[in-house]
Amino acid sequence: MITAAVLMLALSQKDPFPNTDAKAESPRSMFTEIRVGGYYPWVDRPLNCTPGSCPYQKTFNNGSMLLVEAEVERQLFQAFGSAAIGLSVGYAEKYGHALVGTEVTGEATSLRVVPMKALAIYRFDWLAIRFGIPLVPYVKGGFEAVYWWTSKGNGTELADGVAGQGISYGLVGMAGLAFLLDPLDPRLARDFDSGMGVNHTYLFAEYNFAEVNSFGRKQADGVTAAGLDLSSRFAMFGIAFEY
Amino acid sequence: MGLPLSFIPLLAAGQIFGSVTLSINDQTSVTITPNSCGSNLTGKWQAALSGGVCSSMQLWVTNSDCGDTPATGDLRLADVDQGTLTNNRTGSGTVSIPVNSLPFFVNGDAGGCGGEASTTHKFCAAVTMSSDLTCFSKTVVRGTTVSVVYDTVPPDPPTLLSAEGFDGAAAVIISPPSDAATVRLEIRTPDGAFGTAATNAASVTNVTIDNLTNDTVYTLRAFALDSGGIESAASNEITVKPRASLGFWGACREAGCTTGCNAAAGPFSLAALAALLLMSRRLRR
């Protein structure tokens, strides 16, 4: 039904996709995105703990972080869809209370993460360019490194003399669908291109597959995982500008 | 709805006749102490007038509110001559204000300057102006208000509402008195002596004291200080015992977490990503 509505919208527009190359569109080579989503890191997955007593679960009351990310892409290919490489950086934090046994204290404790990704991207925007259908499916894949650190009270938390900070890394993939906003107001879209050089504006939703467990690397004991497992599966939503 | 008629002269004075800006020692509020007795304050006036000047400008100090003229018992200072103001409506000047002659010390029961008291004086100015040369319709332009605070009465002591033991630290909630400028928190260490643990602005009501020993009982008390540095009596005493707790990382370590890569590599990861972007630009060319 939604698809039918989108198609009707596309067909009902006299000029559904105003900024094509044939219509003196400014050159486009970059893509910038801002996205947000609920991120629940699977820190507890490799640990020896029973459900309800695992550290992330009990400290943060099973809550997700609000992850905010910005991404910049450089397009390398524009023909049957567009291919690009990109970099993204984000930030998320979660606060809870330190525990004494099972008693919750007033002392704050936190986990903060800065995910950084190097990505290869393919967007199937051929239908949008050629026929004005304002839906662009896309996929991304690449490498992710997450710098993370913890705090308790006023500073970085120490446990057994070890500071709670480190880096986890792994692979990441995303699949999403972007909705082209230009047909909703073609004149504004044209002005945005001629004035600011922004060819197209999208709203998008995507699903993230992140396996950020340092490729399952083990400590010297051969059992303990190296670094926090920051893998997750989660959805993100955002806005993107192509220019 | 129209403006009340009584507002019209005020608006006219502000808009038509300008203003007189006052200060003492270049401040709009000064605090004096018993050490100030015998000295002089320097009052400054800065006129920015327009229209006809109908009187000399009176300057005075009162321990009530500034009116249009000095009241009985106020300290009269030298007037600024009408002719001087007429010739230079944007002039400025200074007057000397002897602290010992402030009205509260001369007229009240204070017994002169230096006793224990809490009072606020105001430095005032007023000049009569008119929009016509005959001064038929007159308006008084008052100077801006400047306060001189003399306070040797200590503030009430603060109240320690609660204290919670953290891991190697204690968190205290303080309720300061309304006239406090700062609050000094003291802690009695296991050797029995009180020492200052923190001094904060009175607006800081949640204070954390670090570097304490877990499982040791500490006693806390606080003192309020007013803007003149006068210290209150001690607050109630409250005890607290810091205790070890597990934050996220502590709990994670117990369950087997490790740091993995060297954390110092974090910034280098960002640099590597930036390098990739630069490489992509080269590929593009």
Side-chain angles (χ1 to χ4, degrees):
Chain A
M1 198 165 171
I2 293 171
T3 309
V6 168
L7 282 170
M8 282 182 66
L9 173 67
L11 295 172
S12 67
Q13 296 284 336
K14 275 188 171 180
D15 188 6
F17 198 92
N19 295 323
T20 61
D21 290 333
K23 294 181 180 174
E25 180 186 49
S26 67
R28 56 190 171 96
S29 60
M30 301 290 287
F31 216 96
T32 294
E33 289 183 8
I34 304 233
R35 54 180 179 256
V36 296
Y39 167 58
Y40 186 102
W42 293 352
V43 174
D44 298 335
R45 181 171 67 169
L47 302 178
N48 297 319
C49 56
T50 54
S53 68
C54 292
Y56 186 92
Q57 197 179 22
K58 70 179 181 184
T59 308
F60 301 120
N61 205 21
N62 232 4
S64 296
M65 300 175 163
L66 179 64
L67 175 62
V68 179
E69 289 187 314
E71 181 174 314
V72 177
E73 300 170 12
R74 178 127 192 126
Q75 292 178 342
L76 304 175
F77 166 85
Q78 290 170 348
F80 193 74
S82 61
I85 57 172
L87 301 174
S88 84
V89 64
Y91 177 76
E93 64 181 23
K94 190 71 184 172
Y95 275 85
H97 294 283
L99 302 169
V100 176
T102 56
E103 181 194 345
V104 177
T105 72
E107 192 168 18
T109 181
S110 73
L111 169 65
R112 283 173 273 189
V113 297
V114 176
M116 296 166 279
K117 297 169 188 164
L119 297 164
I121 303 108
Y122 173 73
R123 292 175 198 278
F124 183 61
D125 55 9
W126 183 75
L127 288 175
I129 301 283
R130 186 78 175 81
F131 301 108
I133 296 172
L135 290 176
V136 177
Y138 63 89
V139 290
K140 304 178 185 179
F143 176 78
E144 177 172 7
V146 182
Y147 178 55
W148 56 267
W149 70 103
T150 65
S151 72
K152 188 175 77 169
N154 293 330
T156 302
E157 185 178 2
L158 290 169
D160 308 325
V162 178
Q165 57 184 14
I167 289 184
S168 298
Y169 51 88
L171 297 176
V172 63
M174 295 101 127
L177 186 65
F179 175 67
L180 181 66
L181 295 176
D182 301 10
L184 299 180
D185 191 339
R187 178 177 293 177
L188 180 64
R190 268 194 299 272
D191 291 347
F192 205 20
D193 187 19
S194 58
M196 305 284 290
V198 176
N199 304 64
H200 307 302
T201 306
Y202 297 89
L203 290 180
F204 64 89
E206 66 185 29
Y207 197 72
N208 284 249
F209 306 82
E211 274 301 310
V212 187
N213 60 356
S214 304
F215 301 115
R217 201 163 60 87
K218 304 292 184 191
Q219 292 290 102
D221 60 12
V223 177
T224 314
L228 293 189
D229 186 348
L230 297 175
S231 305
S232 191
R233 308 282 185 270
F234 58 104
M236 295 191 87
F237 308 90
I239 188 165
F241 304 97
E242 187 175 22
Y243 50 96
Chain B
M1 199 169 110
L3 279 172
L5 287 178
S6 57
F7 281 4
I8 293 174
L10 291 174
L11 287 174
Q15 292 173 357
I16 299 175
F17 301 115
S19 62
V20 177
T21 305
L22 300 178
S23 64
I24 292 180
N25 297 345
D26 294 323
Q27 307 286 321
T28 56
S29 178
V30 293
T31 300
I32 58 174
T33 65
N35 292 335
S36 309
C37 296
S39 65
N40 292 328
L41 303 173
T42 302
K44 185 177 180 182
W45 59 271
Q46 168 78 54
L49 300 169
S50 59
V53 180
C54 301
S55 71
S56 59
M57 183 166 68
Q58 294 179 303
L59 298 165
W60 72 97
V61 178
T62 181
N63 60 339
S64 60
D65 290 328
C66 291
D68 288 347
T69 56
T72 305
D74 289 348
L75 172 62
R76 289 289 303 271
L77 305 170
D79 289 355
V80 181
D81 183 62
Q82 181 180 356
T84 305
L85 279 178
T86 302
N87 291 333
N88 184 8
R89 290 180 176 81
T90 57
S92 63
T94 59
V95 288
S96 183
I97 305 171
V99 172
N100 283 356
S101 300
L102 293 176
F104 181 80
F105 302 135
V106 174
N107 306 323
D109 299 327
C113 185
E116 184 173 290
S118 177
T119 184
T120 299
H121 288 87
K122 287 173 185 162
F123 177 35
C124 314
V127 58
T128 305
M129 303 292 293
S130 176
S131 57
D132 59 87
L133 294 175
T134 59
C135 290
F136 178 75
S137 172
K138 298 174 186 173
T139 298
V140 175
V141 174
R142 294 183 187 178
T144 56
T145 303
V146 176
S147 301
V148 181
V149 179
Y150 176 84
D151 187 6
T152 57
V153 178
D156 291 333
T159 304
L160 297 184
L161 299 177
S162 68
E164 182 178 0
F166 286 173
D167 196 349
V172 191
I173 299 177
I174 304 168
S175 174
S178 58
D179 55 345
T182 57
V183 172
R184 187 168 61 84
L185 189 63
E186 286 191 346
I187 189 165
R188 186 161 65 200
T189 50
D191 65 11
F194 271 107
T196 299
T199 302
N200 294 302
S203 57
V204 180
T205 55
N206 291 23
V207 179
T208 301
I209 306 167
D210 292 312
N211 301 318
L212 303 181
T213 306
N214 284 339
D215 301 319
T216 300
V217 177
Y218 293 88
T219 304
L220 302 167
R221 67 181 184 185
F223 298 85
L225 288 87
D226 65 17
S227 55
I230 309 296
E231 189 168 281
S232 72
S235 71
N236 60 312
E237 294 187 355
I238 196 166
T239 58
V240 64
K241 186 163 84 168
R243 54 190 180 158
S245 64
L246 285 180
F248 166 70
W249 178 239
C252 207
R253 286 284 292 175
E254 274 196 350
C257 289
T258 65
T259 56
C261 276
N262 182 356
F268 292 108
S269 301
L270 263 180
L273 289 178
L276 277 172
L277 181 64
L278 286 174
M279 282 172 61
S280 75
R281 296 184 68 154
R282 284 193 140 193
L283 280 173
R284 179 83 179 156
R285 287 183 197 135

